[in-house]
């Protein structure tokens, strides 16, 4: 993963934690953190990871097609690796 995605993970987890704290309120935040800390860690880590992976996949998708596809190039979708199992073919215009 890129450094940008890792920074976004940390920022997203922090933002979700701050939003959650504002909803719960400071009076109840300490007790909730003590009672539910495993769930809070899982939720914040999972959300941060999801955001980071989403940014990484989006960056990869943008970079993948920087080279133009030649006219007449064909792509086949297959269930297995066998040529007879092609279920769809796309040909570039």
């Amino acid at each position: 993963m890129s450094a940008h995605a890792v920074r976004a993970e940390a920022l997203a987890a922090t933002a979700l934690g701050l939003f959650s704290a504002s909803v719960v309120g400071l009076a109840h935040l300490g007790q909730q953190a003590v009672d539910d800390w495993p769930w809070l860690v899982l939720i914040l880590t999972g959300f941060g990871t999801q955001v980071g992976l989403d940014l990484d996949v989006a960056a990869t998708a943008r970079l993948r097609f920087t080279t133009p596809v030649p006219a007449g190039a064909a792509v086949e979708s297959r269930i297995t690796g066998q040529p007879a199992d092609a279920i769809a073919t796309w040909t570039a215009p």
Side-chain angles (χ1 to χ4, degrees):
M1 287 180 59
S2 67
H4 174 70
V6 173
R7 283 191 303 272
E9 284 181 19
L11 181 64
T14 302
L16 182 63
L18 291 173
F19 175 74
S20 161
S22 70
V23 170
V24 171
L26 295 178
H28 301 289
L29 182 62
Q31 187 59 39
Q32 183 186 15
V34 169
D35 292 342
D36 299 332
W37 71 267
W39 300 113
L40 294 172
V41 169
L42 286 172
I43 291 168
L44 294 177
T45 304
F47 181 71
T49 302
Q50 181 180 0
V51 169
L53 288 174
D54 188 39
L55 286 175
D56 207 39
V57 167
T60 303
R62 281 192 304 271
L63 295 174
R64 184 176 302 148
F65 299 109
T66 56
T67 305
V69 177
V75 176
E76 292 182 348
S77 298
R78 298 180 182 157
I79 295 173
T80 65
Q82 304 301 322
D85 295 332
I87 57 172
T89 303
W90 175 82
T91 305

